[in-house]
Amino acid sequence: MSKQAVRKRLLALRDALDVGYREKAAATVAEKFMSLWQGYKSYALYCAIKSELSLYPLMRMLWDAGKKVLLPKVTDSGINLHYCGSMEELECGYRDIQEPTGCVAAGDVDLVAVPGAVFDRSGYRIGYGKGFYDRLLAGMSRKVTVGLAFEIQIVESVPHESHDVAVDVILTEKNVYAVKGIL
């Protein structure tokens, strides 16, 4: 099955999830995340779009703990990570995704949360087709990378190419998949 077909099928499943379930799952993932990685100083997260797992509960927890949160901002050259200290520092940007207004170099990041439509048990993912995160991760010095998703987005295997960057860990509302022995 092609990447496009897998993406379309899994996004339809994700879209069908009840809003209440999505909210509970986001809170569960945030709690699990904090129990695993609260010792880091800086975290690159992302603002969810459509039916994607919301990271707003996690952002609030990190801000309350005094952690540095960076969020992506799309530019002509790809994604740049920008510091964001609160929800008030977000504005509507690329494809109506909330983006931050401040700026900090990506080298200041300890952990990168990576979005995706589908993840497999080897850490490979199918994103949204633009390759933004593969290019961002390929250009960074090694960081811990975590795919955040609903359990229904996990499959045995997805098609991948040599330029695709696998995540180290996948965290869902039900499981933690330690792909590269990070945990």
Side-chain angles (χ1 to χ4, degrees):
M1 191 180 292
S2 71
K3 279 187 178 184
Q4 294 81 5
V6 173
R7 179 186 304 116
K8 184 177 180 178
R9 184 174 69 82
L10 269 289
L11 287 178
L13 288 173
R14 190 182 77 190
D15 290 346
L17 289 174
D18 176 73
V19 172
Y21 181 86
R22 282 188 252 164
E23 290 172 357
K24 282 184 176 180
T28 299
V29 167
E31 290 288 338
K32 285 182 179 183
F33 186 100
M34 291 299 288
S35 72
L36 293 168
W37 296 293
Q38 65 184 340
Y40 293 164
K41 294 179 182 172
S42 58
Y43 304 80
L45 302 180
Y46 56 87
C47 292
I49 57 170
K50 300 180 183 176
S51 63
E52 200 165 51
L53 181 75
S54 175
L55 299 190
Y56 292 130
L58 176 57
M59 285 179 209
R60 286 187 188 96
M61 288 177 173
L62 289 168
W63 286 322
D64 289 348
K67 305 297 184 174
K68 187 188 299 185
V69 175
L70 293 97
L71 296 171
K73 187 167 187 167
V74 177
T75 67
D76 291 339
S77 60
I79 290 178
N80 291 321
L81 296 175
H82 295 249
Y83 173 73
C84 184
S86 72
M87 300 298 266
E88 290 75 36
E89 294 180 24
L90 296 172
E91 62 187 16
C92 196
Y94 175 78
R95 289 192 174 179
D96 294 325
I97 299 170
Q98 292 292 298
E99 295 182 336
T101 55
C103 183
V104 165
D108 294 328
V109 179
D110 297 319
L111 182 147
V112 180
V114 182
V118 185
F119 291 88
D120 73 16
R121 294 176 190 270
S122 297
Y124 286 102
R125 58 184 264 288
I126 298 175
Y128 299 100
K130 299 288 184 186
F132 288 135
Y133 273 85
D134 289 321
R135 287 192 301 278
L136 174 72
L137 295 173
M140 295 177 81
S141 59
R142 193 66 194 135
K143 309 293 179 198
V144 173
T145 54
V146 181
L148 300 171
F150 295 104
E151 187 67 27
I152 62 162
Q153 293 175 257
I154 309 302
V155 298
E156 276 305 313
S157 179
V158 296
H160 60 275
E161 300 166 36
S162 61
H163 65 271
D164 291 334
V165 179
V167 297
D168 300 317
V169 179
I170 303 166
L171 177 61
T172 74
E173 75 279 18
K174 294 186 179 179
N175 291 299
V176 178
Y177 300 93
V179 178
K180 296 185 181 172
I182 295 294
L183 298 177

